[in-house]
Amino acid sequence: RSLTTGSGGLAGFEWHEEVGSTNDLAAEAARRGASEIHLVLADHQVRGRGRRGREWRAPPGSSLTGTFLLRPGDAPVETLPLLAGVVLAEVVDAYLAPARALARERTATAPGANEGTGQERRGGPELGLKWPNDLLLRPGPNHSWTKAAGVLIEREGPAALLGIGCNVDWRGVPRPEGVVATSIAETIGEPVDRWRVLAGLVGVLARRYATWREDPRDTLAAYRDRCVTLGARVRVTGNASDLGDLEGEATGIGDDGRLLVATPRGERAVAAGDVIHLHE
Ligand code: BTN
């Protein structure tokens, strides 16, 4: 399969049926001196890692599981997680947009015609980023958000390993025990081809990464537009900046990628942690 698109391509590509974690194989590639952008892709991981020491589990064959090796040099790597979120969001939203457009068209041409179905009447499927880069989906605004993709960024010397797990088509596929998640296909109610999603990811990453290296401001603006944490009441646990657990309103994203939270004790800037939205 060709993974080169009009807007960019890969310097190297590895495909594996089964691995421990694609981030580990990308770290090996970094040590061997692989150039960017090198992609390690696997059908299935047996020791997939999530953020903050969690496991990442996905059924074989129906997800995208891969790590992009980047060499960002002196670019502002603290905003790399936000870049990853924007790339995922732009690729996945292209699958949601037609259903959204159709829902709007129906509303415009036949007001009340979809009374009771909820989804059409209220605008169709939506996508949001939970800080820093959980990709959340819902079939319509009256549904709750469910995670469909996540990003784990690790360093190997000067290389950055951008691991992406994206649930593409889990229709009729048994979930791993205890996993609460959705997939693109379940959200739009149609089949989705993971190789097309992959080609989208490669193209959008190559283009967005080049822009971000030049100047991250456009990426930050795109991120803020899609971040559903902004304006939400949040609880932040396990943050890395000695702030302790905190609660308040998420009021902004700093230019360094930190989440700004207005707490009863004043504004706090959170660099890393788990965010829970207390209401939607
Ligand atoms: C999260 O949301 O907690 C991050 C999940 C990241 C999962 C991906 S799958 C490919 C890469 N290899 C891993 O072991 N983890 C990341």
Side-chain angles (χ1 to χ4, degrees):
R1 294 169 203 277
S2 166
L3 291 175
T4 307
T5 70
S7 41
L10 298 173
F13 173 61
E14 292 173 41
W15 162 258
H16 303 268
E17 285 296 328
E18 184 176 287
V19 297
S21 158
T22 54
N23 269 37
D24 292 343
L25 292 188
E28 273 175 33
R31 291 194 289 274
R32 287 197 308 268
S35 345
E36 70 174 6
I37 297 173
H38 181 92
L39 170 61
V40 179
L41 197 67
D43 184 63
H44 185 46
Q45 298 184 120
V46 291
R47 281 182 304 281
R49 293 195 295 274
R51 287 177 63 239
R52 313 192 60 73
R54 286 185 285 256
E55 282 183 300
W56 180 262
R57 288 177 297 146
S62 47
S63 305
L64 272 180
T65 304
T67 304
F68 293 92
L69 183 164
L70 305 172
R71 297 197 176 274
D74 55 8
V77 284
E78 64 279 7
T79 59
L80 193 55
L82 308 192
L83 167 75
V86 168
V87 169
L88 259 177
E90 288 180 347
V91 172
V92 174
D93 205 30
Y95 288 85
L96 273 49
R100 225 168 19 233
L102 191 65
R104 288 202 187 112
E105 201 178 298
R106 282 180 182 160
T107 310
T109 54
N114 298 303
E115 205 78 40
T117 62
Q119 181 172 327
E120 294 84 351
R121 204 160 39 82
R122 294 190 179 86
E126 293 189 336
L127 172 153
L129 291 171
K130 180 160 88 79
W131 186 90
N133 50 24
D134 281 357
L135 183 103
L136 308 181
L137 299 179
R138 58 183 179 182
N142 53 334
H143 295 248
S144 52
W145 293 107
T146 309
K147 183 163 168 174
V151 178
L152 173 69
I153 297 180
E154 295 174 321
R155 299 299 303 258
E156 179 62 35
L161 314 173
L162 196 164
I164 293 183
C166 178
N167 307 340
V168 177
D169 195 341
W170 285 19
R171 289 167 317 141
V173 176
R175 262 123 179 99
E177 209 185 314
V179 171
V180 178
T182 190
S183 63
I184 307 171
E186 286 162 298
T187 306
I188 63 173
E190 281 177 37
V192 178
D193 180 320
R194 64 176 170 159
W195 305 116
R196 280 191 58 201
V197 178
L198 174 64
L201 271 180
V202 171
V204 175
L205 176 65
R207 184 169 47 74
R208 275 270 174 208
Y209 178 58
T211 318
W212 170 82
R213 283 182 82 154
E214 295 253 307
D215 182 346
R217 279 178 297 188
D218 183 53
T219 305
L220 282 162
Y223 180 87
R224 290 180 181 114
D225 276 352
R226 294 193 180 270
C227 181
V228 291
T229 303
L230 283 177
R233 193 162 176 80
V234 294
R235 178 175 305 137
V236 187
T237 59
N239 73 70
S241 21
D242 288 337
L243 299 171
D245 291 357
L246 49 90
E247 224 175 278
E249 189 191 333
T251 52
I253 309 284
D255 288 345
D256 55 3
R258 288 181 193 225
L259 179 69
L260 307 177
V261 183
T263 77
R265 295 171 164 204
E267 185 177 88
R268 300 286 185 268
V270 180
D274 270 330
V275 169
I276 298 162
H277 292 181
L278 297 175
H279 60 75
E280 282 173 358

